[in-house]
Amino acid sequence: MLIPPAPLYIALIHYPVYNQAREIVCTSITPFDIHDLARTSKTYGIVKYFIVCPVESQRKLAGRIMDHWLTGVGAEMNVTRKEAFELVSLVPSWEDACLTIQNETGRSARLIGTSAKSGPKRLGYRELQNQLRESDQPHLLLFGTGWGMTEELLEKTDAMLEPIGSQEDGSYNHLPVRAAVAITLDRLLG
């Protein structure tokens, strides 16, 4: 596994994202995403996995699930799950994730967006892998829920990663976010 000098973080964005009608919404935090992305993050050496959701009740529910695995019976029953959950940070906004990284590293994070849609100036995986190898600047990979992050948020990124997909005509590209994160991290760090 490639371990880049650049500290690598991921954020699962629940807001601002689109719904199927292209309205800006906040999606719900799901227990599967908490568990699976924490375990994937631990496997690939991610520094921290941010769950970005402005709805306090959603963050509290996620916190209760996490507490079971961090301090409850779950922590005793499954030590590896506890280790993975130690990487998770619940934050109300992507800006809070960036501030956390700034406070922990003393440097601003380079924001890398992901999308199922093609577009101009997309970074290839090999290109980003090389950049991670040659940099010590923290990088934050943003993954959207729902029907993807808003254009306004994506415009704030420093770069966009090329979409995952195998169908040449692009007729279907709607992976579950857990799969997209795992594939992305494996392509970058595997």
Side-chain angles (χ1 to χ4, degrees), residues 121-136:
K121 301 180 184 174
R122 297 292 206 253
L123 279 177
Y125 286 88
R126 181 77 61 207
E127 186 178 1
L128 181 55
Q129 189 180 59
N130 290 336
Q131 290 175 8
L132 290 170
R133 232 186 245 126
E134 296 167 1
S135 173
D136 61 357

Side-chain angles (χ1 to χ4, degrees), residues 12-15 26-35 37 49-63 65-66 88-92 145 178:
L12 183 62
I13 307 295
H14 288 277
Y15 178 86
C26 180
T27 58
S28 297
I29 297 173
T30 67
F32 288 122
D33 289 344
I34 302 169
H35 286 260
L37 294 183
Y49 155 40
F50 295 98
I51 299 174
V52 178
C53 182
V55 180
E56 185 177 357
S57 61
Q58 286 282 308
R59 291 194 316 274
K60 282 184 179 180
L61 176 61
I65 292 167
M66 291 170 55
V88 181
S89 180
L90 300 165
V91 294
T145 58
R178 293 180 303 281

